[in-house]
Amino acid sequence: MRRHEFQPGRLLAGLVLLVAGVLYLLDATGEADLAWWVIVPMAMGGLSLAALLGLITYAVRRDQRDRISASSDQ
């Protein structure tokens, strides 16, 4: 399998949703007593941070590609 580029936004989104799922599972089994207003904002905030991180990663990589193509043109 060919190596792919590291995508930190997707990693963060996966971790946040994994934590939200574990907290929901703990609440469903009775191990923890969490209100919905704890998990929903945490998941939405984590997904928003993941989107922001993805945009920053895209901008940095695009700038690097532009610099490489500009230096090879000269």
Side-chain angles (χ1 to χ4, degrees):
M1 182 163 132
R2 203 177 63 130
R3 291 189 67 174
H4 61 278
E5 60 187 14
F6 177 64
Q7 297 178 343
R10 288 186 181 191
L11 176 65
L12 181 62
L15 289 175
V16 166
L17 291 178
L18 181 67
V19 169
V22 167
L23 289 175
Y24 183 76
L25 182 64
L26 287 174
D27 188 38
T29 59
E31 297 294 323
D33 187 29
L34 298 170
W36 67 269
W37 49 268
V38 173
I39 296 177
V40 172
M42 182 191 71
M44 296 306 295
L47 290 175
S48 297
L49 284 175
L52 180 64
L53 187 58
L55 287 173
I56 291 170
T57 304
Y58 173 75
V60 167
R61 288 187 178 153
R62 188 181 66 187
D63 184 50
Q64 287 176 351
R65 279 193 311 261
D66 290 346
R67 287 182 184 183
I68 290 171
S69 67
S71 66
S72 66
D73 289 344
Q74 293 177 357

